[in-house]
Amino acid sequence: RLSRAYRVNLTVLALVALFTGAFLVYSVLSLGVARRLPQFALLGVLGLGARERQALVLAESLLLGAAGSALGLLLGTALAMLALRLLGGDLGGGYFAGVAPRLHTDTAGALLYGTLGLLAAGLGGWWPARQARRLAPAQALKGLGAAASGQPTTLAGALLLAAALALAALPPVAGVPLAAYASVGLLLLGGIALLPALARGLLRLLAPRVATRA
């Protein structure tokens, strides 16, 4: 029971890092697809099919995931070794003073988390790959093939935030605040979904004030 809080919190932090990595891959590849619309259009006119364009973007996401997973495992192992050396097995809690535990590596666990990192990157690259697949090459070459902005996500973001508030009020399960962790996840998703609407509203407020300034 004493060490369970550490293990649960570190596992949740690892899942948050996994989610953040998937979101970063999505952001980077979405921007990359938008900036390379003329190149994708030219490749399409030269004979590269829609599935091939999608496979190209997915391959990029999987390469990012493989590199990120490998670096993440190496950095995580190094941080664990440093934490044990500087803070001890209780991470500075003072419960096991004088005990110098050794780092136990779990090959199966490392492979599992590396695979999860690869899958998260592939999931993050799926939507940009779909955008590349739906591209109309002839229109894009004429400057008319801008990536679709997608449906507004304001309502979905508001619902996610409401669900996060509801989950935050639920009691723990067997002493572990599982609902609270789910609430944090929904809070992240809801905030991301509301960002476009918040940015549009902020720009509408600022535009009249700076319209006459360089």
Side-chain angles (χ1 to χ4, degrees):
R1 289 196 301 270
L2 192 63
S3 64
R4 184 177 63 175
Y6 290 108
R7 290 184 279 112
V8 171
N9 286 330
L10 289 175
T11 301
V12 171
L13 287 175
L15 293 176
V16 170
L18 198 66
F19 167 80
T20 305
F23 177 70
L24 289 176
V25 170
Y26 162 76
S27 301
V28 169
L29 289 182
S30 294
L31 179 61
V33 169
R35 295 183 64 179
R36 290 181 293 168
L37 283 179
Q39 288 87 343
F40 281 122
L42 180 59
L43 290 174
V45 171
L46 293 176
L48 190 69
R51 289 186 177 182
E52 286 78 10
R53 294 195 301 270
Q54 180 180 9
L56 181 62
V57 178
L58 279 177
E60 291 181 12
S61 69
L62 292 178
L63 284 174
L64 287 173
S69 296
L71 288 174
L73 290 174
L74 291 175
L75 289 174
T77 303
L79 285 174
M81 294 175 62
L82 185 64
L84 287 178
R85 180 172 299 180
L86 298 179
L87 303 177
D90 54 4
L91 301 181
Y95 302 114
F96 311 117
V99 178
R102 296 178 56 188
L103 179 66
H104 295 274
T105 57
D106 183 4
T107 303
L111 290 176
L112 173 63
Y113 277 101
T115 303
L116 286 176
L118 194 62
L119 292 176
L123 182 63
W126 174 253
W127 186 252
R130 295 286 295 176
Q131 289 179 330
R133 178 173 181 169
R134 293 196 300 264
L135 174 68
Q139 292 183 356
L141 284 177
K142 297 177 182 178
L144 304 174
S149 59
Q151 297 180 352
T153 57
T154 306
L155 179 59
L159 292 176
L160 287 171
L161 291 183
L165 290 175
L167 287 175
L170 294 180
V173 178
V176 180
L178 297 178
Y181 290 130
S183 173
V184 172
L186 293 181
L187 188 65
L188 288 172
L189 292 174
I192 291 171
L194 286 176
L195 273 179
L198 292 175
R200 288 193 297 268
L202 182 61
L203 288 176
R204 280 196 295 267
L205 289 175
L206 293 178
R209 303 176 184 274
V210 298
T212 58
R213 300 177 181 230

